Amino acid sequence: MRVISYNLRKHAAAHELEQLVERWEANVLCLQEADTTALPDQIAGLKLARATERNRLGLALYYRENMFRLGDAVVLSLKRSLHDIVLRPAHERLLGVRLTDIDAGTEVIVASFHAAPLTALNSLRRHQIRAALGALDRLGPGLPMLMVGDYNYPVFKERLHERVRGAGYDLTLSDARTYTRYRFFKGHYDFATSQGLTIDDVTTLPQGSSDHLPILVRASYR
């Protein structure tokens, strides 16, 4: 399974998606900060599974129809930061879908996640991550799961690793930093959280129009 996650920076990088999917042969595409009213139904052979509807900057997930069958989905509003309350940029911060891998004959949960911005505390983001993982577990109890996206967690990642592992999940960073906009906040922002999958690698892809670099997650079933 080859999954690309990309924060489009207020939809600015949307024009790159077709070439990105084709070049890296993705079969799932997870988006953050997308103008969901402007997204096409198809991108380079991938079909739109679901997009959020209540966000100014939303989430979306695409999948390859000849590889997966689409099942149920979950969209979740997570505990809000002051930034969310005042500016209302993103009401819904989790979008997960249940897919059936046709060739492997197994089901898998894939999700796009966008944590609260840097103005919030890490403790709030950890609360959001816990809530998101709980919702995905309810969507497909015991199924392999992959949640990718913008975690907005540049410092004290070791503590986050410990908490995620303690809950029975794996947290994987990419091979190079994924955020470059501000000098003092450059680093790894875009992660992969998984359960029941082997993460072969997480690669940071070349930068485009966004301040986030896309990541490519290669995962296989255990």
Side-chain angles (χ1 to χ4, degrees):
M1 184 165 55
R2 298 168 66 90
V3 181
I4 286 178
S5 175
Y6 197 9
N7 182 318
L8 300 180
R9 192 187 178 188
K10 302 178 182 178
H11 207 70
H15 64 282
E16 303 167 8
L17 293 175
E18 186 163 351
Q19 183 177 4
L20 193 68
V21 169
E22 290 178 345
R23 178 178 178 185
W24 301 101
E25 300 179 339
N27 40 59
V28 177
L29 174 65
C30 295
L31 303 177
Q32 305 89 43
E33 288 199 24
D35 178 357
T36 56
T37 63
L39 289 173
D41 187 58
Q42 299 269 348
I43 295 178
L46 303 188
K47 181 177 177 58
L48 179 64
R50 186 78 178 267
T52 55
E53 298 177 354
R54 300 169 62 188
N55 292 7
R56 179 165 58 85
L57 301 172
L59 307 173
L61 191 147
Y62 289 79
Y63 69 102
R64 195 168 298 281
E65 283 188 283
N66 62 3
M67 183 173 178
F68 298 104
R69 287 196 303 270
L70 178 63
D72 294 335
V74 61
V75 175
L76 190 64
S77 300
L78 301 173
K79 185 176 181 181
R80 294 187 297 169
S81 66
L82 180 61
H83 180 90
D84 290 335
I85 294 170
V86 174
L87 299 179
R88 302 179 183 178
H91 188 70
E92 298 158 319
R93 290 190 171 272
L94 174 73
L95 167 62
V97 300
R98 183 168 175 161
L99 300 172
T100 299
D101 188 315
I102 298 170
D103 289 340
T106 187
E107 291 184 296
V108 60
I109 303 295
V110 185
S112 181
F113 172 73
H114 191 188
L118 295 177
T119 51
L121 298 175
N122 276 348
S123 58
L124 174 62
R125 282 183 281 274
R126 289 195 300 270
H127 183 283
Q128 292 179 329
I129 292 167
R130 286 196 304 272
L133 294 176
L136 295 177
D137 184 59
R138 292 189 294 273
L139 178 63
L143 292 181
M145 185 279 300
L146 176 66
M147 183 174 81
V148 296
D150 177 7
Y151 284 60
N152 274 322
Y153 214 103
V155 296
F156 305 118
K157 287 186 284 292
E158 296 80 7
R159 187 176 181 184
L160 179 61
H161 268 282
E162 292 173 1
R163 300 225 176 181
V164 170
R165 281 199 302 268
Y169 298 87
D170 296 316
L171 182 70
T172 311
L173 275 63
S174 58
D175 59 352
R177 67 189 186 188
T178 65
Y179 186 76
T180 62
R181 186 176 182 185
Y182 298 113
R183 177 181 177 186
F184 296 106
F185 292 106
K186 293 179 180 179
H188 289 81
Y189 282 59
D190 303 85
F191 307 160
T193 303
S194 60
Q195 186 179 58
L197 293 168
T198 297
I199 303 301
D200 301 314
D201 54 62
V202 182
T203 305
T204 300
L205 303 180
Q207 185 161 17
S209 302
S210 175
D211 48 359
H212 285 258
L213 282 70
I215 60 172
L216 171 65
V217 182
R218 296 181 180 92
S220 53
Y221 305 109
R222 291 178 183 169

